[in-house]
Amino acid sequence: MQLSVIILNYNVRYFLEQCLLSVQEALSAIDAEIIVVDNNSSDESVLMMQEKFPTVKLIQNKENFGFPKGNNIGVSQANGKYICILNPDTVVAEDTFTKVLAFAEKQTDLGILGCKLIDGKGNFLPESKRGIPTPWIAFTKIFSLYKVFPNWHLFNQYYAQHLREDETGKVAILVGAFMFMKRDLYLELDGFDENCFMYADDIDLSYRALLKQKSNYYFHETTVLHYKGESTVKDEKYMKRFQEAMNFFYQKHFRKSWFFTFFIQIGIWFFSFAKMFQGKTKVKSLPETYIFYSLNLILSEKLSFILKNKVQFIDFKKEKMVNSSLIFKGRRVEIILDNQYVSFKKCIKIIETLKDKRITFKIFPKNANFIIGSDSPNDRGQIVKIE
């Protein structure tokens, strides 16, 4: 077997369904398996799996074991030469795994392979490629010095800015939303460290691959949609968790850094002080226009009723999707993509191409009864059921 895709799920039933639909399409020509590990979800994730994906291997944990242990359990039952650790709030293109496998097979020193990730609005997620977070590099990240001095190597190493987002190459650290590697390497590394704090597990695994004299790669030739992105608001709680994660990493691999501890405390104080002056969260404005790319005119009329707004139907076979949408830039527009007629790869491409702060996107997955998307990398997204 060539590939095992491991998806760890916890209470994201609708995102999981869409993810599985996209993964099944992407594995159609590959000798592969999908393993879903459910961390004792309280929503209908397990029931959905049993009803809609009875042939997918499902592991039901009796409690929430967390990210490291949950994935380790999944890999322990994998049979593929390669494994891919994949978040359930992702959408892969139909040719994602074909391209990744072809690249991986050419490497003689393969460690972990990551790919280009974008959020639900089409923005590139910089955590797709990162450097080793030494105390100094973590400091430049916390205080956003990489944004202030983007062309200074001294300040721009956290997000591996030596590589452009459209350039494949070696990087140090990859993100746990998409990690592709040989199963034998994962087992040799003993998988994710189950003692890891949040934010450190993927950093630790990537670094341990480097210690084995392997090369980690960022692969830009396929784009994967990752809805949540860095979903934690950068507030005091985030800073404390980040501190715990970095302290874990330093204590495991380096000597304890008093430099980092000191400056992270300054960061916690800074963010706590700033939050005192933050106003209430702004209410999101509803779209002025909904655009439905499909061949199903009847469904377009049904959406108008459900959304309580006129939905403009665009027959994508008669009009170029990109060109027809550009005229709406500058207005609050929501584009709904019917996956029955628009491939996942094309959906991702449209979202990436048309990214604009006033345009939001939803996908209507084939054989599903909902539309789904995310208007912000800081929330879990939106689902509208289509009964």
Side-chain angles (χ1 to χ4, degrees):
M1 182 176 288
Q2 286 181 284
L3 175 62
S4 299
V5 179
I6 316 298
I7 303 172
L8 178 66
N9 176 72
Y10 180 67
N11 286 338
V12 286
R13 172 249 186 273
Y14 293 99
F15 286 101
L16 174 63
E17 181 175 344
Q18 179 177 231
C19 177
L20 285 169
L21 290 169
S22 73
V23 171
Q24 284 186 328
E25 293 280 342
L27 296 179
S28 61
I30 300 173
D31 181 15
E33 65 179 349
I34 306 170
I35 300 174
V36 173
V37 182
D38 186 79
N39 256 345
N40 198 29
S41 294
S42 57
D43 62 4
E44 297 180 345
S45 293
V46 170
L47 180 61
M48 180 276 294
M49 285 287 305
Q50 293 168 338
E51 291 181 349
K52 299 196 173 189
F53 302 95
T55 62
V56 171
K57 186 181 294 186
L58 173 63
I59 301 171
Q60 298 180 57
N61 291 335
K62 299 302 182 184
E63 59 182 283
N64 184 356
F65 289 127
F67 185 87
K69 186 173 181 178
N71 277 298
N72 289 345
I73 290 170
V75 176
S76 70
Q77 297 196 27
N79 298 299
K81 174 183 177 182
Y82 293 94
I83 62 165
C84 182
I85 304 297
L86 185 68
N87 267 29
D89 57 349
T90 57
V91 178
V92 301
E94 285 78 2
D95 59 358
T96 288
F97 295 121
T98 302
K99 287 184 173 182
V100 168
L101 274 168
F103 179 83
E105 287 285 271
K106 294 177 183 177
Q107 310 310 314
T108 58
D109 60 348
L110 181 67
I112 303 174
L113 176 65
C115 67
K116 184 178 183 180
L117 300 174
I118 62 171
D119 65 19
K121 291 205 56 168
N123 300 302
F124 174 69
L125 291 173
E127 64 268 24
S128 301
K129 51 183 181 68
R130 291 175 288 176
I132 299 170
T134 63
W136 167 252
I137 292 174
F139 173 74
T140 64
K141 194 266 185 184
I142 288 295
F143 288 92
S144 299
L145 296 180
Y146 66 95
K147 293 180 180 179
V148 180
F149 306 103
N151 298 319
W152 289 35
H153 178 71
L154 181 65
F155 299 106
N156 67 14
Q157 298 173 65
Y158 187 86
Y159 287 124
Q161 287 169 273
H162 68 284
L163 280 182
R164 301 186 307 273
E165 64 181 78
D166 59 351
E167 181 182 10
T168 293
K170 293 182 180 182
V171 296
I173 307 297
L174 297 159
V175 66
F178 186 104
M179 299 182 89
F180 183 98
M181 71 201 82
K182 287 185 177 178
R183 179 168 59 94
D184 287 347
L185 175 62
Y186 189 95
L187 297 177
E188 184 181 350
L189 295 171
D190 294 322
F192 288 107
D193 188 331
E194 296 177 12
N195 295 311
C196 267
F197 289 95
M198 185 184 297
Y199 303 124
D201 35 40
D202 50 5
I203 296 173
D204 174 66
L205 187 67
S206 298
Y207 185 71
R208 285 189 282 121
L210 297 179
L211 295 179
K212 292 287 186 181
Q213 306 303 311
K214 300 295 184 180
S215 295
N216 298 333
Y217 290 91
Y218 166 73
F219 181 67
H220 85 281
E221 294 181 32
T222 187
T223 301
V224 169
L225 186 60
H226 182 209
Y227 283 109
K228 289 180 66 176
E230 290 186 291
S231 58
T232 306
V233 177
K234 308 302 188 292
D235 57 11
E236 182 180 359
K237 182 180 288 187
Y238 166 83
M239 294 291 292
K240 287 182 177 178
R241 287 174 176 170
F242 190 83
Q243 179 189 21
E244 290 176 343
M246 291 302 98
N247 281 338
F248 175 90
F249 181 71
Y250 300 145
Q251 289 176 20
K252 181 174 180 177
H253 297 290
F254 306 102
R255 62 185 177 85
K256 187 172 181 180
S257 170
W258 294 107
F259 170 88
F260 179 78
T261 301
F262 173 72
F263 281 104
I264 204 74
Q265 288 297 333
I266 295 176
I268 291 172
W269 176 84
F270 173 80
F271 278 96
S272 300
F273 183 77
K275 280 190 71 67
M276 292 172 59
F277 298 92
Q278 289 180 353
K280 294 181 179 180
T281 303
K282 294 182 179 179
V283 178
K284 293 181 181 179
S285 301
L286 294 174
E288 300 172 41
T289 306
Y290 289 90
I291 304 170
F292 185 47
Y293 283 119
S294 178
L295 292 178
N296 192 334
L297 180 59
I298 296 175
L299 181 57
S300 177
E301 295 170 350
K302 187 174 184 178
L303 283 172
S304 294
F305 176 77
I306 293 171
L307 297 172
K308 296 180 173 58
N309 198 318
K310 182 174 177 56
V311 174
Q312 182 172 339
F313 176 76
I314 294 183
D315 185 333
F316 71 91
K317 282 194 172 183
K318 295 180 181 178
E319 298 188 52
K320 292 183 178 180
M321 284 183 271
V322 172
N323 292 340
S324 61
S325 295
L326 288 174
I327 62 174
F328 296 105
K329 283 204 169 186
R331 300 173 59 191
R332 291 194 303 276
V333 175
E334 178 144 296
I335 296 173
I336 303 171
L337 302 162
D338 189 348
N339 177 232
Q340 188 67 43
Y341 307 101
V342 186
S343 69
F344 283 115
K345 181 177 181 178
K346 190 66 175 177
C347 288
I348 294 169
K349 185 63 177 177
I350 291 171
I351 293 171
E352 186 176 14
T353 302
L354 296 180
K355 59 185 176 186
D356 183 281
K357 64 181 180 180
R358 295 175 67 86
I359 297 179
T360 56
F361 302 90
K362 298 291 183 292
I363 296 176
F364 184 16
K366 65 175 63 177
N367 303 319
N369 64 345
F370 57 88
I371 59 175
I372 190 168
S374 175
D375 301 343
S376 167
N378 293 322
D379 61 36
R380 297 183 65 174
Q382 302 81 38
I383 297 102
V384 178
K385 294 183 182 180
I386 310 297
E387 302 296 344

